[in-house]
Amino acid sequence: MCDVLQIEKSTFYYEAKDRQSEEQLTEAIVDIFQKNRRVYGTRKIKVKLLERGMILSRRGIGRIMKGFHVYHCPI
Protein backbone atom coordinates (compact mmCIF):
# COMPACT_ATOMS: atom_id res chain seq x y z
CA MET A 1 0.00 0.00 0.00
CA CYS A 2 2.84 2.39 0.80
CA ASP A 3 4.35 1.69 -2.63
CA VAL A 4 1.08 2.56 -4.35
CA LEU A 5 0.70 5.80 -2.37
CA GLN A 6 4.44 6.51 -2.66
CA ILE A 7 4.90 7.26 1.03
CA GLU A 8 7.32 5.93 3.61
CA LYS A 9 6.26 3.25 6.07
CA SER A 10 7.04 5.55 8.98
CA THR A 11 4.58 8.12 7.59
CA PHE A 12 1.86 5.48 7.34
CA TYR A 13 2.33 4.34 10.95
CA TYR A 14 2.88 7.82 12.41
CA GLU A 15 0.33 8.88 15.01
CA ALA A 16 -0.04 12.56 15.69
CA LYS A 17 -0.18 13.17 19.42
CA ASP A 18 -2.45 15.76 20.93
CA ARG A 19 -0.61 18.60 22.59
CA GLN A 20 -1.73 20.06 25.86
CA SER A 21 -2.77 23.66 25.69
CA GLU A 22 -0.48 26.26 27.18
CA GLU A 23 -3.23 27.23 29.65
CA GLN A 24 -3.49 23.68 31.01
CA LEU A 25 0.27 23.44 31.41
CA THR A 26 0.49 26.85 33.07
CA GLU A 27 -2.29 26.02 35.54
CA ALA A 28 -0.63 22.69 36.37
CA ILE A 29 2.81 24.26 36.89
CA VAL A 30 1.51 27.03 39.14
CA ASP A 31 -0.65 24.53 41.05
CA ILE A 32 2.29 22.17 41.66
CA PHE A 33 4.50 25.09 42.70
CA GLN A 34 1.92 26.49 45.15
CA LYS A 35 1.06 23.10 46.70
CA ASN A 36 4.71 22.39 47.42
CA ARG A 37 5.39 25.49 49.51
CA ARG A 38 6.87 27.44 46.60
CA VAL A 39 10.17 25.54 46.70
CA TYR A 40 9.97 23.24 43.67
CA GLY A 41 12.23 24.00 40.72
CA THR A 42 11.95 22.88 37.13
CA ARG A 43 13.30 19.36 37.74
CA LYS A 44 10.79 18.44 40.43
CA ILE A 45 7.93 20.13 38.56
CA LYS A 46 8.81 18.09 35.46
CA VAL A 47 8.54 14.85 37.49
CA LYS A 48 5.15 15.92 38.89
CA LEU A 49 3.90 16.82 35.40
CA LEU A 50 4.92 13.37 34.14
CA GLU A 51 2.91 11.83 37.00
CA ARG A 52 -0.09 13.80 35.72
CA GLY A 53 0.55 12.59 32.17
CA MET A 54 1.83 15.89 30.82
CA ILE A 55 5.09 16.24 28.93
CA LEU A 56 7.09 19.46 28.81
CA SER A 57 10.81 20.18 28.82
CA ARG A 58 12.57 21.79 31.75
CA ARG A 59 13.26 24.82 29.60
CA GLY A 60 9.59 25.09 28.72
CA ILE A 61 8.68 24.89 32.40
CA GLY A 62 11.28 27.55 33.20
CA ARG A 63 9.89 29.83 30.49
CA ILE A 64 6.38 29.56 31.91
CA MET A 65 7.63 30.10 35.47
CA LYS A 66 9.60 33.17 34.37
CA GLY A 67 6.57 34.57 32.54
CA PHE A 68 4.46 34.34 35.69
CA HIS A 69 7.28 35.47 38.02
CA VAL A 70 7.16 32.14 39.84
CA TYR A 71 10.53 31.42 41.44
CA HIS A 72 11.60 29.24 44.31
CA CYS A 73 13.34 30.93 47.21
CA PRO A 74 16.53 29.28 48.44
CA ILE A 75 16.66 28.80 52.17
Side-chain angles (χ1 to χ4, degrees):
M1 185 156 147
C2 292
D3 292 334
V4 173
L5 296 174
Q6 296 179 351
I7 60 172
E8 297 291 326
K9 288 181 186 178
S10 59
T11 305
F12 181 75
Y13 288 105
Y14 175 76
E15 292 182 34
K17 296 178 181 164
D18 294 333
R19 291 186 166 194
Q20 294 93 12
S21 71
E22 182 111 7
E23 292 177 14
Q24 289 176 334
L25 290 169
T26 302
E27 288 175 12
I29 289 169
V30 172
D31 181 52
I32 291 167
F33 186 75
Q34 297 293 338
K35 285 185 177 179
N36 292 287
R37 299 175 297 177
R38 304 175 58 91
V39 295
Y40 271 20
T42 58
R43 292 178 187 195
K44 289 185 179 180
I45 290 176
K46 180 173 179 157
V47 171
K48 292 293 184 182
L49 284 176
L50 285 174
E51 290 174 3
R52 292 184 181 191
M54 299 176 155
I55 299 173
L56 186 64
S57 69
R58 283 182 42 223
R59 289 186 178 172
I61 294 168
R63 179 181 46 81
I64 290 173
M65 289 175 72
K66 186 177 181 181
F68 281 86
H69 304 289
V70 177
Y71 301 104
H72 72 280
C73 299
I75 298 173

